[in-house]
Amino acid sequence: KAGVTQTPRYLIKTRGQQVTLSCSPISGHRSVSWYQQTPGQGLQFLFEYFSETQRNKGNFPGRFSGRQFSNSRSEMNVSTLELGDSALYLCASSKGSFKHSTGELFFGEGSRLTVL
Amino acid sequence: DQQVKQNSPSLSVQEGRISILNCDYTNSMFDYFLWYKKYPAEGPTFLISISSIKDKNEDGRFTVFLNKSAKHLSLHIVPSQPGDSAVYFCAASDTGTASKLTFGTGTRLQVTL
């Protein structure tokens, strides 16, 4: 079965610009969550969407936003880009139940953003 | 405030020997713990998990141990194989959705011949 697909894989932006990243989850998965990975910080949770509603949010400024569509595809947007936003942005999907099953998230390969 | 810590950024182990990766956490509300493995240019993949009601979980060559009183968990890989060379992330979550994970900074494991 097809995995989690993220586009674009690589992009370069300049400070002050905005960027939109896209994520297509595994078929049947209703939860999509986003993580930022930077050197020395590991993966940090941005937010999670389930059935088009934001269900959880991490400690990131309001410049980071997201949405989910009725087909479970998700986008995240970063406005007014800063140098520190350079990172690998990972999308993960799951069936999204509140009870732990395996707690398994299926990650995409990520979108690597470089801000100059 | 790093709630999940992996204090060893790297580890080198000979093929066939045991690899032990360690993880400490500070948030006593965490009740579910996971290990993910990441190869370069790929997303992390789930490896093994453990609930706080257990102290050990095995899956083939991989065993995770949880010491709640010490807020410590470890991943044992026996025997280690060259294909195990990757970055290993420890992650934790509290009661609720499994999608909001708090990750450590990762340990790069290199298995040498």
Side-chain angles (χ1 to χ4, degrees), chain A residues 31 35 56 98 100-101 103 105 108, chain B residues 32 34 36 43 93 96-97 99 101:
Chain A
S31 168
Y35 289 81
N56 277 292
F98 274 94
H100 291 302
S101 51
L105 298 182
Chain B
Y32 205 79
L34 310 92
Y36 281 79
S93 69
T97 178
S99 302
L101 299 179

Side-chain angles (χ1 to χ4, degrees), chain A residues 1-6 22-34 49-51 68-74 91-96 102 104-109, chain B residues 36 43-46:
Chain A
K1 92 183 170 182
V4 177
T5 304
Q6 291 188 245
S22 179
C23 173
S24 293
I26 291 172
S27 177
H29 285 190
R30 297 167 64 189
S31 168
V32 173
S33 50
W34 290 88
Y49 287 85
F50 181 82
S51 294
Q68 187 180 33
F69 302 95
S70 58
N71 61 359
S72 293
R73 191 177 69 85
S74 176
C91 167
S93 77
S94 72
K95 292 180 180 178
T102 65
E104 182 176 357
L105 298 182
F106 295 84
F107 282 88
E109 295 177 321
Chain B
Y36 281 79
T45 54
F46 171 76

Side-chain angles (χ1 to χ4, degrees), chain B residues 33-35 46-50 57-59 62-64 75:
Chain B
F33 304 90
L34 310 92
W35 285 93
F46 171 76
L47 197 56
I48 191 169
S49 63
I50 188 168
N57 189 27
E58 283 183 83
D59 185 1
F62 302 92
T63 303
V64 56
L75 173 68

